[in-house]
Amino acid sequence: MRLFVSYIGFFFTISMFVLVGLFFGPSDATLSEITSGLIRSDDGPMKMIIWSIRIPRIILSLLTGCCLGLSGALIQLSSRSAIGDPNLFGIGGGASIFLAGSYAGVFVFDEHWIFFGSIISSLVVSLVLSRLISSSDLTPVKLAIMGIALGTLTISIGTAVISFGRVFPGQVIGLVAGSFTSSNWDKIVYLLIILIPVLLITFLLSKRFYPIMLGDVLSKSLGVNPIRNRNIAMSLAGILSGASVYAGGLIGFVGLIAPHLSRKILGNHPSHLILGSTILGGLLTLFSDQLARLLFAPTELPVGMASTILGGPMMMYLAWRLK
Amino acid sequence: MKIDISNLSVLFDDQIILDDISCHFPEGKFSCLVGENGSGKSTLLRTLTKDIDKFQGSITDLKSSDYSYIPQNIDDPEFLSVQEVVKLGFYQSKIRDQDLTLQSHQLLKRFDIEHLESRRFSEISMGQKQRAWLAFALAQDKKVILMDEPLAAVDLQSRKNFYSILNTVSKENRTLVLVTHDLGIAMEFCEHMVHLHQGAIAFEGPPKNFSGL
């Protein structure tokens, strides 16, 4: 019953932010103009704003957040680290290096190859990380420090690459601090192609990821191969993370907070952790994006800045409790 | 299930850790493997669990479905409650979710820690953690339980309680092997003792026959 109420609560909160995203914006339209734009009754500018800007942006921020939340849950499950987050640990940074290269004109690819390349770049970093975790004496704290170092490293490389090209500052900020200003329907399709299968696979395998939280020795005695399952979980996290960076740049802390909130609200059960982290990741990112969009409108903040304002203190709290 | 070890030798970087040892751990008894630090106790245990796979001689082949192993200094599982840890012990059994809650409750009750069920694992005391880990081991319902020095940081009275629990557990037809350097309590509670000294067996038999170091 409690679970049911929580999910309903998530639904209503998301609906509320969706309405905010639809009806508020810099274009100062009246309610009736927006409504008529929404139901496509005329071909005025409002229809364009609603269907080509606001709705894609809402959906894309929601889906990107879902990817981040699920990715964070997978990393926390398989690394036993309370501060596991795809962008903090450099997994998203892998994709950002690739995207930086593409923005700077180091290589020129079609859009779908850029999407694919982002995913592969993040996948590589996540597998390196998985390898590190599986080496025997890496405590969760050591892992966190190394992960953060790796994260900083990837961002520096990405920034270095991007400074070679003559790139618009807006694009740079969008990449390193997150932005949904260039949302479109194509990106939504790309993200759905990744998110839906990964979510399904995660559900099917979730029971096997759960024992890894006890550590490798104990999960082995439960008949679970910790290294193989960790590699699977981290690969899935890498794929999601790459897709999220392609869609919205580096958005910090959503992958960290979503699983923690989910545990608080829905408990530790693996299927609720996965579903909850996914939904809450979407909710948090949608909220952050609306905050970034409207707080100082018409000037926009990068969405990663808004999510960091929420996530930074949370991370300090978690680190404080870390042993 | 009886554990036999014959002519086992283990080398680490050209250093002999275990030197041609033979001993056994009988079924249905509480066995203690004692010895000083560096005498090779943990190495013997890690060879049994196949953590070390380079050795000479022969040992009983333990599959992961045969034994549960509680290593030294386990990191606290992040996020999980005491009950969730014990529930994970039932991972390989086909028990339904509702029955799991009941069964893990009964196990915790057996070790007098059922009131801690919903606490975070990392928040309970060392002695309580050891009992919880034992409950976790028992939940797996394996024939062999191997524990490596689980009592290092616990006061004397709790240790005595824990040892008498272990004694009753071994009576359920389990082979229970505990690695410890706590010779005094081992002699008081265990039924079979193996004493390792510098990689060799210094004594094996019932503790009453043990004449000291």
Side-chain angles (χ1 to χ4, degrees), chain A residues 64 68 85-97 99-100 103 122 151-156 158-159 171-180 241-254 285 302-308:
Chain A
T64 305
L68 285 169
D85 175 276
N87 292 343
L88 209 58
F89 281 7
I91 300 176
S96 80
I97 295 177
L99 285 169
Y103 287 170
S122 284
T152 322
L153 194 68
T154 53
I155 292 175
S156 320
T159 321
Q171 235 173 343
V172 180
I173 292 175
L175 182 61
V176 297
S179 165
F180 290 108
S241 166
S244 80
V245 175
Y246 166 80
L250 291 169
I251 302 167
F253 295 105
V254 171
T285 310
V303 54
M305 202 162 259
S307 68
T308 304

Side-chain angles (χ1 to χ4, degrees), chain A residues 9-318:
Chain A
F10 297 160
F11 178 76
F12 275 111
T13 317
I14 289 177
S15 311
M16 208 178 71
F17 293 144
V18 168
L19 290 178
V20 169
L22 275 179
F23 286 99
F24 293 89
S27 72
D28 247 351
T30 61
L31 201 64
S32 64
E33 279 175 322
I34 294 169
T35 318
S36 67
L38 197 61
I39 55 177
R40 322 189 94 163
S41 59
D42 58 40
D43 271 332
M46 212 49 221
K47 184 183 156 189
M48 212 280 284
I49 290 178
I50 294 287
W51 286 95
S52 305
I53 299 177
R54 291 196 186 167
I55 292 180
R57 181 166 182 163
I58 290 166
I59 299 177
L60 194 69
S61 61
L62 200 60
L63 291 178
T64 305
C66 291
C67 289
L68 285 169
L70 182 55
S71 179
L74 282 164
I75 295 169
Q76 287 177 20
L77 267 177
S78 54
S79 71
R80 312 204 294 134
S81 170
I83 63 164
D85 175 276
N87 292 343
L88 209 58
F89 281 7
I91 300 176
S96 80
I97 295 177
F98 179 83
L99 285 169
S102 135
Y103 287 170
V106 178
F107 38 75
V108 179
F109 287 136
D110 285 344
E111 197 63 17
H112 56 273
W113 286 113
I114 294 178
F115 179 61
F116 189 67
S118 311
I119 288 175
I120 297 295
S121 318
S122 284
L123 184 63
V124 169
V125 181
S126 69
L127 284 172
V128 169
L129 214 57
S130 180
R131 183 72 204 272
L132 271 177
I133 303 166
S134 298
S135 69
S136 56
D137 49 16
L138 198 74
T139 60
V141 176
K142 256 195 215 171
L143 167 73
I145 295 168
M146 290 176 75
I148 291 169
L150 194 61
T152 322
L153 194 68
T154 53
I155 292 175
S156 320
I157 297 174
T159 321
V161 170
I162 217 166
S163 55
F164 271 106
R166 294 184 196 285
V167 185
F168 297 116
Q171 235 173 343
V172 180
I173 292 175
L175 182 61
V176 297
S179 165
F180 290 108
T181 43
S182 57
S183 301
N184 57 46
W185 289 97
D186 287 348
K187 287 186 178 172
I188 292 174
V189 173
Y190 285 141
L191 236 57
L192 281 174
I193 291 172
I194 292 299
L195 180 62
I196 292 173
V198 172
L199 188 60
L200 287 177
I201 294 170
T202 311
F203 261 116
L204 289 177
L205 299 179
S206 61
K207 200 170 174 270
R208 291 205 285 164
F209 297 151
Y210 198 38
I212 309 177
M213 293 173 79
L214 294 172
D216 286 11
V217 175
L218 293 183
S219 45
K220 247 184 245 165
S221 91
L222 291 178
V224 171
N225 181 335
I227 294 176
R228 197 178 60 207
N229 283 302
R230 178 177 299 118
N231 283 337
I232 298 173
M234 291 297 284
S235 306
L236 294 173
I239 291 170
L240 290 166
S241 166
S244 80
V245 175
Y246 166 80
L250 291 169
I251 302 167
F253 295 105
V254 171
L256 175 83
I257 314 172
H260 282 282
L261 270 184
S262 172
R263 270 188 214 99
K264 270 265 182 293
I265 301 171
L266 305 168
N268 259 326
H269 192 281
S271 23
H272 289 299
L273 177 66
I274 285 160
L275 194 58
S277 306
T278 310
I279 296 174
L280 284 166
L283 191 157
L284 286 167
T285 310
L286 177 61
F287 173 68
S288 302
D289 187 44
Q290 294 308 320
L291 206 65
R293 197 169 78 95
L294 298 171
L295 199 60
F296 297 110
T299 310
E300 276 200 27
L301 296 176
V303 54
M305 202 162 259
S307 68
T308 304
I309 291 169
L310 301 171
M314 168 100 183
M315 162 133 180
M316 286 166 77
Y317 169 73
L318 289 171

Side-chain angles (χ1 to χ4, degrees), chain A residues 213 218 221-222 268 321, chain B residues 69 75 79 84 92 120 142:
Chain A
M213 293 173 79
L218 293 183
S221 91
L222 291 178
N268 259 326
R321 286 189 26 173
Chain B
Y69 170 44
D75 291 325
F79 318 122
E84 283 161 344
Q92 280 163 311
R120 256 175 170 251
K142 309 266 180 75

Side-chain angles (χ1 to χ4, degrees), chain B residues 51-82:
Chain B
D51 204 14
I52 295 173
D53 49 10
K54 278 187 197 151
F55 61 85
Q56 283 158 8
S58 71
I59 52 171
T60 304
D61 181 33
L62 290 178
K63 295 181 183 60
S64 75
S65 54
D66 293 328
Y67 71 91
S68 56
Y69 170 44
I70 304 299
Q72 211 170 350
N73 316 320
I74 323 170
D75 291 325
D76 291 338
E78 270 299 334
F79 318 122
L80 299 180
S81 71
V82 176

